[in-house]
Amino acid sequence: MKPFRIEIPQADLDDLDRRLAATRWPDELPGAAWERGVPLGYLRELAEYWRTSYDWRAAEQTLNQFPQFIVDIDGISVHFLHIRSPEPGATPMILTHGWPGSFAEFTSVIGPLTDPRAHGGDPGTAFHLVVPSIPGFGFSGRPAEPGWDMVRIAGAWAELMRRLGYDGYVAQGGDLGAWISLTLAGVDLPHVRGAHVNFLVTAPPPDPAALAGLEPSDLERLGLLGQFANEGSGYMKIQSTRPQTLAYGLTDSPVGQLAWITEKFFEWTDSEKVPEDAVDRDQLLTNVMLYWLTASAGPAASLYFEIADFLPTAATPPAPPPPLPVPLGVAVYPRDAAKPIRRFADQGFPNIVQWREFDRGGHFAAMEQPGLFVEDLRNFARALRR
């Protein structure tokens, strides 16, 4: 286990500047809006801001304020943050990002979660935090062989927590990180005290009679899930079938990588006109930079190839995972890509101890609504003690 510090060579930043300046832009139909993809005018302005105003060195300095490490597990190097709370009775927790996120999603919540006393919170709800980068993402290593699926990643997380000396801990995640966290609860059941997710897909049972008596709001959620599978999952379909083909363009063109990620930050956040309605522009670009500077577009997309049988399609939404006997907390944000139905969630997870529905926020909860995110996890810590 070795200390790690982010130190991007200046030559890489100079190369990015040249590529942005030399972008060959596509045409656009007059009046085109977000339903056709990222609008040309918006992306040109954002790319110019990225080239001339965004300060990677400032972002790098912010990220390096947190203790970072690299450790070899199961033949791959895993990058992670490890921030211990000053509270001796703090609960260990592993936070897992998804796609197109990164460990940088959590920078605004690390302080309040690890040191609630200093942020006006109850010191009894403090956490020791472990924030890894999924293999293939960011500064973690790239899988050199097939098979790095949810189960294998969860196994690596269990081993990481064991090596850090945590006998019992909480698993938390959103997007792919939610599925990894739920899998981890099964893989390392003796040590996982509870799981908390801010993304959960609940497909209806095969029997149509299961839909009887659903509230109109639940029927709306079911319709949105179908709409997502039919219209909003194009990124998933190509990443789960042809990740290598996609990787050429995203690895060679920073504007291509920017558009691929920014589209989701618009569609999945509590934004009205542009992603910055919900997420700070510099935070968004820092997240993009972690894909660009590490050339991780292809390896990250390949995770979808590994889990293709588990992903939703228009015809077959994913079946709920096997019931887990650990306490589960679920946070539902209104502008997420999909919202779960409580009745179906209870069938798959018989031990839901906390279910919170918020009136604002979206898919990237820790970035969009750090206060609500922190409050929810503190409440979950209390629920686990009851």
Side-chain angles (χ1 to χ4, degrees):
M1 196 170 293
K2 302 176 182 177
F4 178 81
R5 183 175 177 83
I6 304 171
E7 294 177 326
I8 299 299
Q10 184 59 41
D12 290 358
L13 302 182
D14 294 341
D15 175 67
L16 172 61
D17 182 86
R18 287 192 296 270
R19 289 172 182 264
L20 288 171
T23 299
R24 187 172 70 158
W25 295 95
D27 294 331
E28 181 182 63
L29 287 174
W34 284 92
E35 61 265 21
R36 287 183 177 266
V38 185
L40 176 60
Y42 168 76
L43 198 67
R44 291 192 76 145
E45 190 275 326
L46 181 60
E48 183 63 11
Y49 176 88
W50 188 11
R51 189 179 73 84
T52 61
S53 300
Y54 171 78
D55 187 350
W56 165 254
R57 293 303 183 196
E60 190 177 62
Q61 184 177 12
T62 297
L63 296 175
N64 280 331
Q65 292 175 0
F66 303 106
Q68 300 174 63
F69 302 88
I70 293 285
V71 62
D72 289 335
I73 299 177
D74 194 13
I76 203 166
S77 60
V78 174
H79 164 261
F80 66 99
L81 311 184
H82 185 205
I83 308 94
R84 287 190 60 84
S85 171
E87 304 295 340
T91 299
M93 180 165 62
I94 184 166
L95 292 170
T96 306
H97 66 86
W99 182 93
S102 68
F103 74 94
E105 284 183 54
F106 303 107
T107 54
S108 296
V109 302
I110 288 174
L113 288 173
T114 57
D115 193 4
R117 190 189 302 269
H119 293 82
D122 174 8
T125 60
F127 294 94
H128 302 304
L129 292 184
V130 179
V131 189
S133 297
I134 297 172
F137 290 69
F139 299 108
S140 281
R142 279 70 177 113
E145 59 184 2
W148 274 95
D149 56 12
M150 297 293 187
V151 173
R152 192 166 179 180
I153 295 168
W157 280 194
E159 175 64 14
L160 173 60
M161 297 303 277
R162 186 193 69 80
R163 293 192 194 181
L164 291 172
Y166 294 129
D167 186 59
Y169 60 92
V170 172
Q172 199 286 328
D175 191 80
L176 295 175
W179 292 339
I180 292 170
S181 298
L182 295 174
T183 304
L184 177 56
V187 167
D188 199 23
L189 184 59
H191 303 110
V192 177
R193 299 176 185 172
H196 181 283
V197 296
N198 56 280
F199 180 74
L200 189 66
V201 177
T202 53
D207 183 1
L211 303 182
L214 280 181
E215 297 291 332
S217 59
D218 288 336
L219 292 173
E220 180 182 2
R221 292 184 180 194
L222 196 59
L224 289 174
L225 179 61
Q227 183 180 356
F228 171 79
N230 283 309
E231 302 176 17
S233 61
Y235 77 96
M236 186 187 300
K237 291 171 182 174
I238 191 168
Q239 292 191 160
S240 63
T241 57
R242 300 295 185 271
Q244 186 64 34
T245 303
L246 176 68
Y248 296 113
L250 299 188
T251 305
D252 187 61
S253 168
V255 166
Q257 179 68 92
L258 178 66
W260 193 246
I261 289 177
T262 300
E263 179 188 275
K264 300 311 169 195
F265 271 84
F266 172 73
E267 291 184 347
W268 298 349
T269 61
D270 196 359
S271 57
E272 295 300 328
K273 296 182 179 179
V274 292
E276 294 93 316
D277 292 339
V279 175
D280 177 79
R281 172 173 279 200
D282 284 359
Q283 278 190 305
L284 168 61
L285 289 172
T286 295
N287 189 72
V288 173
M289 286 288 273
L290 290 172
Y291 284 82
W292 174 257
L293 294 172
T294 62
S296 55
S302 289
L303 176 54
Y304 283 81
F305 188 91
E306 297 290 343
I307 62 171
D309 290 342
F310 178 73
L311 295 172
T313 66
T316 56
L324 297 176
V326 301
L328 175 64
V330 180
V332 183
Y333 292 86
R335 293 294 297 275
D336 207 341
K339 291 187 288 184
I341 296 172
R342 180 66 191 263
R343 182 202 291 185
F344 299 151
D346 285 335
Q347 294 170 6
F349 302 97
N351 198 14
I352 296 176
V353 298
Q354 179 172 296
W355 182 285
R356 292 286 305 278
E357 302 250 357
F358 295 99
D359 62 359
R360 59 191 184 278
H363 195 66
F364 305 94
M367 296 176 72
E368 294 182 66
Q369 296 293 337
L372 296 181
F373 184 84
V374 168
E375 175 197 7
D376 198 49
L377 284 174
R378 288 175 178 171
N379 288 334
F380 186 61
R382 296 186 186 98
L384 291 180
R385 294 201 301 266
R386 291 199 290 266

